[in-house]
Amino acid sequence: MDVKLSSSKIFTSSCIELKRDELDEKYEKCHSILQKMLHGLSEQECNDMLNKTICKDKQHEEIVILGLLTNILVDPSNGAK
């Protein structure tokens, strides 16, 4: 019985595959924005900043959600934070 596991683009990359789609760029942008926003803050300050940012509007909410999702997929050890 041969089982194939599909892998996400986020975990696989090659130097040959240079074509990036809109979603990859969006996820990376959101991840970058989130990292800059939370850099150097304590856990409580991060929580306050995330709540404040999400309450602004739908666009900010999407940035936070996609940034957190990307962070969990890229660095699972950070997922608990």
Side-chain angles (χ1 to χ4, degrees):
M1 189 158 100
D2 207 56
V3 176
K4 285 188 175 183
L5 296 175
S6 65
S7 60
S8 172
K9 283 181 125 180
I10 208 162
F11 294 113
T12 59
S13 63
S14 83
C15 59
I16 297 172
E17 183 184 330
L18 296 176
K19 183 181 177 191
R20 300 173 47 95
D21 63 357
E22 292 175 22
L23 284 178
D24 286 338
E25 291 175 11
K26 187 174 186 176
Y27 291 148
E28 281 189 20
K29 180 181 173 187
C30 291
H31 183 257
S32 174
I33 291 170
L34 189 71
Q35 291 300 316
K36 289 176 186 175
M37 185 175 21
L38 302 178
H39 180 72
L41 299 177
S42 70
E43 195 168 328
Q44 181 63 40
E45 291 171 328
C46 286
N47 187 26
D48 293 341
M49 177 65 77
L50 291 174
N51 285 328
K52 180 179 156 187
T53 304
I54 284 176
C55 291
K56 288 182 181 179
D57 59 15
K58 286 287 185 187
Q59 184 180 11
H60 286 89
E61 181 181 358
E62 183 180 33
I63 289 171
V64 169
I65 290 170
L66 292 177
L68 289 172
L69 175 65
T70 306
N71 192 37
I72 290 168
L73 293 174
V74 170
D75 188 9
S77 63
N78 253 351
K81 292 181 181 178

mmCIF file of all heavy atoms in Angstrom, residues 36-65:
data_model
loop_
_atom_site.group_PDB
_atom_site.id
_atom_site.type_symbol
_atom_site.label_atom_id
_atom_site.label_comp_id
_atom_site.label_asym_id
_atom_site.label_seq_id
_atom_site.Cartn_x
_atom_site.Cartn_y
_atom_site.Cartn_z
ATOM 1 N N LYS A 36 6.978 42.729 12.502
ATOM 2 C CA LYS A 36 7.420 44.091 12.813
ATOM 3 C C LYS A 36 6.572 44.700 13.930
ATOM 4 O O LYS A 36 7.081 45.418 14.789
ATOM 5 C CB LYS A 36 7.345 44.972 11.571
ATOM 6 C CG LYS A 36 8.395 44.644 10.542
ATOM 7 C CD LYS A 36 8.219 45.472 9.291
ATOM 8 C CE LYS A 36 9.190 45.025 8.217
ATOM 9 N NZ LYS A 36 8.952 45.737 6.939
ATOM 10 N N MET A 37 5.276 44.411 13.898
ATOM 11 C CA MET A 37 4.354 44.972 14.876
ATOM 12 C C MET A 37 4.629 44.426 16.287
ATOM 13 O O MET A 37 4.505 45.148 17.269
ATOM 14 C CB MET A 37 2.912 44.633 14.460
ATOM 15 C CG MET A 37 1.856 45.244 15.302
ATOM 16 S SD MET A 37 0.147 44.992 14.765
ATOM 17 C CE MET A 37 0.140 43.598 13.715
ATOM 18 N N LEU A 38 5.017 43.159 16.385
ATOM 19 C CA LEU A 38 5.159 42.512 17.692
ATOM 20 C C LEU A 38 6.597 42.415 18.181
ATOM 21 O O LEU A 38 6.842 41.921 19.284
ATOM 22 C CB LEU A 38 4.535 41.116 17.635
ATOM 23 C CG LEU A 38 3.062 41.062 17.252
ATOM 24 C CD1 LEU A 38 2.585 39.620 17.192
ATOM 25 C CD2 LEU A 38 2.214 41.890 18.193
ATOM 26 N N HIS A 39 7.542 42.870 17.391
ATOM 27 C CA HIS A 39 8.959 42.754 17.741
ATOM 28 C C HIS A 39 9.265 43.492 19.055
ATOM 29 O O HIS A 39 8.959 44.659 19.221
ATOM 30 C CB HIS A 39 9.838 43.321 16.624
ATOM 31 C CG HIS A 39 11.295 43.233 16.924
ATOM 32 N ND1 HIS A 39 11.958 42.031 16.913
ATOM 33 C CD2 HIS A 39 12.198 44.175 17.264
ATOM 34 C CE1 HIS A 39 13.223 42.238 17.228
ATOM 35 N NE2 HIS A 39 13.386 43.541 17.442
ATOM 36 N N GLY A 40 9.841 42.763 19.974
ATOM 37 C CA GLY A 40 10.287 43.348 21.234
ATOM 38 C C GLY A 40 9.213 43.540 22.292
ATOM 39 O O GLY A 40 9.488 44.109 23.342
ATOM 40 N N LEU A 41 7.996 43.064 22.034
ATOM 41 C CA LEU A 41 6.918 43.228 23.008
ATOM 42 C C LEU A 41 6.793 41.993 23.894
ATOM 43 O O LEU A 41 7.093 40.882 23.468
ATOM 44 C CB LEU A 41 5.581 43.470 22.300
ATOM 45 C CG LEU A 41 5.468 44.706 21.416
ATOM 46 C CD1 LEU A 41 4.098 44.753 20.747
ATOM 47 C CD2 LEU A 41 5.711 45.974 22.211
ATOM 48 N N SER A 42 6.334 42.211 25.108
ATOM 49 C CA SER A 42 6.072 41.079 25.998
ATOM 50 C C SER A 42 4.815 40.353 25.519
ATOM 51 O O SER A 42 4.088 40.849 24.653
ATOM 52 C CB SER A 42 5.876 41.572 27.435
ATOM 53 O OG SER A 42 4.647 42.270 27.538
ATOM 54 N N GLU A 43 4.529 39.214 26.096
ATOM 55 C CA GLU A 43 3.357 38.439 25.690
ATOM 56 C C GLU A 43 2.058 39.214 25.926
ATOM 57 O O GLU A 43 1.157 39.208 25.086
ATOM 58 C CB GLU A 43 3.330 37.105 26.435
ATOM 59 C CG GLU A 43 2.373 36.118 25.822
ATOM 60 C CD GLU A 43 2.550 34.710 26.362
ATOM 61 O OE1 GLU A 43 3.674 34.327 26.712
ATOM 62 O OE2 GLU A 43 1.535 34.002 26.427
ATOM 63 N N GLN A 44 1.957 39.897 27.058
ATOM 64 C CA GLN A 44 0.768 40.694 27.353
ATOM 65 C C GLN A 44 0.639 41.869 26.387
ATOM 66 O O GLN A 44 -0.450 42.178 25.904
ATOM 67 C CB GLN A 44 0.801 41.199 28.798
ATOM 68 C CG GLN A 44 -0.412 42.010 29.189
ATOM 69 C CD GLN A 44 -1.705 41.207 29.123
ATOM 70 O OE1 GLN A 44 -1.748 40.057 29.497
ATOM 71 N NE2 GLN A 44 -2.763 41.834 28.639
ATOM 72 N N GLU A 45 1.757 42.528 26.100
ATOM 73 C CA GLU A 45 1.733 43.646 25.151
ATOM 74 C C GLU A 45 1.362 43.170 23.745
ATOM 75 O O GLU A 45 0.631 43.863 23.028
ATOM 76 C CB GLU A 45 3.092 44.346 25.121
ATOM 77 C CG GLU A 45 3.421 45.090 26.393
ATOM 78 C CD GLU A 45 4.849 45.590 26.437
ATOM 79 O OE1 GLU A 45 5.742 44.922 25.852
ATOM 80 O OE2 GLU A 45 5.081 46.636 27.061
ATOM 81 N N CYS A 46 1.836 41.979 23.365
ATOM 82 C CA CYS A 46 1.475 41.394 22.063
ATOM 83 C C CYS A 46 -0.026 41.149 21.990
ATOM 84 O O CYS A 46 -0.672 41.476 20.989
ATOM 85 C CB CYS A 46 2.208 40.079 21.830
ATOM 86 S SG CYS A 46 3.939 40.252 21.439
ATOM 87 N N ASN A 47 -0.573 40.587 23.052
ATOM 88 C CA ASN A 47 -2.004 40.316 23.106
ATOM 89 C C ASN A 47 -2.807 41.610 22.970
ATOM 90 O O ASN A 47 -3.766 41.681 22.197
ATOM 91 C CB ASN A 47 -2.349 39.600 24.407
ATOM 92 C CG ASN A 47 -3.778 39.138 24.450
ATOM 93 O OD1 ASN A 47 -4.398 38.897 23.424
ATOM 94 N ND2 ASN A 47 -4.322 39.017 25.648
ATOM 95 N N ASP A 48 -2.400 42.640 23.696
ATOM 96 C CA ASP A 48 -3.089 43.924 23.618
ATOM 97 C C ASP A 48 -2.990 44.532 22.224
ATOM 98 O O ASP A 48 -3.969 45.053 21.688
ATOM 99 C CB ASP A 48 -2.525 44.899 24.654
ATOM 100 C CG ASP A 48 -2.817 44.481 26.082
ATOM 101 O OD1 ASP A 48 -3.743 43.645 26.288
ATOM 102 O OD2 ASP A 48 -2.116 44.966 26.992
ATOM 103 N N MET A 49 -1.806 44.450 21.623
ATOM 104 C CA MET A 49 -1.590 45.006 20.290
ATOM 105 C C MET A 49 -2.432 44.268 19.246
ATOM 106 O O MET A 49 -3.036 44.893 18.367
ATOM 107 C CB MET A 49 -0.101 44.924 19.911
ATOM 108 C CG MET A 49 0.196 45.418 18.510
ATOM 109 S SD MET A 49 -0.124 47.173 18.285
ATOM 110 C CE MET A 49 1.306 47.852 19.068
ATOM 111 N N LEU A 50 -2.499 42.946 19.346
ATOM 112 C CA LEU A 50 -3.293 42.167 18.399
ATOM 113 C C LEU A 50 -4.776 42.500 18.519
ATOM 114 O O LEU A 50 -5.466 42.682 17.511
ATOM 115 C CB LEU A 50 -3.061 40.668 18.607
ATOM 116 C CG LEU A 50 -1.677 40.149 18.224
ATOM 117 C CD1 LEU A 50 -1.541 38.690 18.626
ATOM 118 C CD2 LEU A 50 -1.402 40.335 16.753
ATOM 119 N N ASN A 51 -5.277 42.579 19.749
ATOM 120 C CA ASN A 51 -6.688 42.936 19.961
ATOM 121 C C ASN A 51 -6.998 44.332 19.422
ATOM 122 O O ASN A 51 -8.021 44.542 18.769
ATOM 123 C CB ASN A 51 -7.055 42.860 21.441
ATOM 124 C CG ASN A 51 -7.205 41.432 21.907
ATOM 125 O OD1 ASN A 51 -7.615 40.566 21.158
ATOM 126 N ND2 ASN A 51 -6.860 41.194 23.163
ATOM 127 N N LYS A 52 -6.116 45.267 19.683
ATOM 128 C CA LYS A 52 -6.309 46.634 19.214
ATOM 129 C C LYS A 52 -6.297 46.693 17.678
ATOM 130 O O LYS A 52 -7.119 47.382 17.074
ATOM 131 C CB LYS A 52 -5.194 47.514 19.784
ATOM 132 C CG LYS A 52 -5.246 48.950 19.399
ATOM 133 C CD LYS A 52 -4.094 49.696 20.065
ATOM 134 C CE LYS A 52 -3.749 50.947 19.304
ATOM 135 N NZ LYS A 52 -2.557 51.600 19.823
ATOM 136 N N THR A 53 -5.402 45.957 17.065
ATOM 137 C CA THR A 53 -5.273 45.962 15.609
ATOM 138 C C THR A 53 -6.464 45.298 14.941
ATOM 139 O O THR A 53 -6.988 45.806 13.949
ATOM 140 C CB THR A 53 -3.966 45.248 15.187
ATOM 141 O OG1 THR A 53 -2.857 45.872 15.848
ATOM 142 C CG2 THR A 53 -3.766 45.327 13.690
ATOM 143 N N ILE A 54 -6.915 44.180 15.488
ATOM 144 C CA ILE A 54 -8.047 43.461 14.902
ATOM 145 C C ILE A 54 -9.318 44.307 14.950
ATOM 146 O O ILE A 54 -10.141 44.254 14.043
ATOM 147 C CB ILE A 54 -8.267 42.113 15.621
ATOM 148 C CG1 ILE A 54 -7.212 41.122 15.177
ATOM 149 C CG2 ILE A 54 -9.642 41.549 15.362
ATOM 150 C CD1 ILE A 54 -7.269 39.790 15.872
ATOM 151 N N CYS A 55 -9.462 45.112 15.979
ATOM 152 C CA CYS A 55 -10.676 45.926 16.131
ATOM 153 C C CYS A 55 -10.748 47.101 15.163
ATOM 154 O O CYS A 55 -11.804 47.718 15.035
ATOM 155 C CB CYS A 55 -10.771 46.448 17.561
ATOM 156 S SG CYS A 55 -11.114 45.137 18.740
ATOM 157 N N LYS A 56 -9.667 47.419 14.477
ATOM 158 C CA LYS A 56 -9.666 48.569 13.568
ATOM 159 C C LYS A 56 -10.626 48.386 12.406
ATOM 160 O O LYS A 56 -11.522 49.178 12.207
ATOM 161 C CB LYS A 56 -8.261 48.845 13.044
ATOM 162 C CG LYS A 56 -7.341 49.437 14.080
ATOM 163 C CD LYS A 56 -5.988 49.734 13.509
ATOM 164 C CE LYS A 56 -5.073 50.306 14.575
ATOM 165 N NZ LYS A 56 -3.740 50.569 14.037
ATOM 166 N N ASP A 57 -10.398 47.355 11.601
ATOM 167 C CA ASP A 57 -11.271 47.076 10.459
ATOM 168 C C ASP A 57 -10.958 45.679 9.910
ATOM 169 O O ASP A 57 -10.074 44.987 10.408
ATOM 170 C CB ASP A 57 -11.150 48.139 9.362
ATOM 171 C CG ASP A 57 -9.749 48.283 8.795
ATOM 172 O OD1 ASP A 57 -8.908 47.397 9.009
ATOM 173 O OD2 ASP A 57 -9.487 49.292 8.119
ATOM 174 N N LYS A 58 -11.692 45.277 8.879
ATOM 175 C CA LYS A 58 -11.541 43.924 8.309
ATOM 176 C C LYS A 58 -10.164 43.707 7.702
ATOM 177 O O LYS A 58 -9.621 42.603 7.773
ATOM 178 C CB LYS A 58 -12.608 43.669 7.238
ATOM 179 C CG LYS A 58 -13.977 43.440 7.799
ATOM 180 C CD LYS A 58 -14.042 42.089 8.432
ATOM 181 C CE LYS A 58 -15.449 41.778 8.897
ATOM 182 N NZ LYS A 58 -15.509 40.550 9.646
ATOM 183 N N GLN A 59 -9.583 44.737 7.100
ATOM 184 C CA GLN A 59 -8.267 44.585 6.480
ATOM 185 C C GLN A 59 -7.200 44.282 7.532
ATOM 186 O O GLN A 59 -6.371 43.397 7.345
ATOM 187 C CB GLN A 59 -7.891 45.838 5.703
ATOM 188 C CG GLN A 59 -6.568 45.700 4.967
ATOM 189 C CD GLN A 59 -6.198 46.946 4.200
ATOM 190 O OE1 GLN A 59 -6.815 47.993 4.366
ATOM 191 N NE2 GLN A 59 -5.190 46.842 3.364
ATOM 192 N N HIS A 60 -7.234 45.003 8.645
ATOM 193 C CA HIS A 60 -6.277 44.749 9.718
ATOM 194 C C HIS A 60 -6.505 43.369 10.344
ATOM 195 O O HIS A 60 -5.564 42.685 10.727
ATOM 196 C CB HIS A 60 -6.358 45.844 10.779
ATOM 197 C CG HIS A 60 -5.744 47.135 10.356
ATOM 198 N ND1 HIS A 60 -6.456 48.095 9.691
ATOM 199 C CD2 HIS A 60 -4.491 47.609 10.490
ATOM 200 C CE1 HIS A 60 -5.673 49.123 9.430
ATOM 201 N NE2 HIS A 60 -4.464 48.850 9.908
ATOM 202 N N GLU A 61 -7.770 42.994 10.451
ATOM 203 C CA GLU A 61 -8.091 41.664 10.978
ATOM 204 C C GLU A 61 -7.489 40.575 10.095
ATOM 205 O O GLU A 61 -6.889 39.618 10.590
ATOM 206 C CB GLU A 61 -9.607 41.496 11.064
ATOM 207 C CG GLU A 61 -10.040 40.152 11.616
ATOM 208 C CD GLU A 61 -11.547 40.004 11.665
ATOM 209 O OE1 GLU A 61 -12.281 40.946 11.302
ATOM 210 O OE2 GLU A 61 -11.993 38.932 12.085
ATOM 211 N N GLU A 62 -7.627 40.738 8.786
ATOM 212 C CA GLU A 62 -7.075 39.755 7.849
ATOM 213 C C GLU A 62 -5.556 39.694 7.935
ATOM 214 O O GLU A 62 -4.969 38.610 7.907
ATOM 215 C CB GLU A 62 -7.507 40.106 6.425
ATOM 216 C CG GLU A 62 -7.026 39.099 5.406
ATOM 217 C CD GLU A 62 -7.465 39.447 4.002
ATOM 218 O OE1 GLU A 62 -7.567 40.652 3.665
ATOM 219 O OE2 GLU A 62 -7.698 38.505 3.230
ATOM 220 N N ILE A 63 -4.908 40.838 8.073
ATOM 221 C CA ILE A 63 -3.444 40.867 8.195
ATOM 222 C C ILE A 63 -3.001 40.077 9.415
ATOM 223 O O ILE A 63 -2.072 39.270 9.348
ATOM 224 C CB ILE A 63 -2.931 42.324 8.267
ATOM 225 C CG1 ILE A 63 -3.087 42.995 6.910
ATOM 226 C CG2 ILE A 63 -1.479 42.368 8.732
ATOM 227 C CD1 ILE A 63 -2.819 44.485 6.922
ATOM 228 N N VAL A 64 -3.671 40.292 10.546
ATOM 229 C CA VAL A 64 -3.297 39.594 11.780
ATOM 230 C C VAL A 64 -3.545 38.092 11.643
ATOM 231 O O VAL A 64 -2.681 37.278 11.980
ATOM 232 C CB VAL A 64 -4.063 40.175 12.994
ATOM 233 C CG1 VAL A 64 -3.885 39.295 14.215
ATOM 234 C CG2 VAL A 64 -3.602 41.593 13.283
ATOM 235 N N ILE A 65 -4.695 37.719 11.124
ATOM 236 C CA ILE A 65 -5.040 36.299 11.010
ATOM 237 C C ILE A 65 -4.078 35.573 10.072
ATOM 238 O O ILE A 65 -3.540 34.510 10.407
ATOM 239 C CB ILE A 65 -6.500 36.122 10.559
ATOM 240 C CG1 ILE A 65 -7.436 36.548 11.685
ATOM 241 C CG2 ILE A 65 -6.786 34.682 10.147
ATOM 242 C CD1 ILE A 65 -8.890 36.643 11.281
#
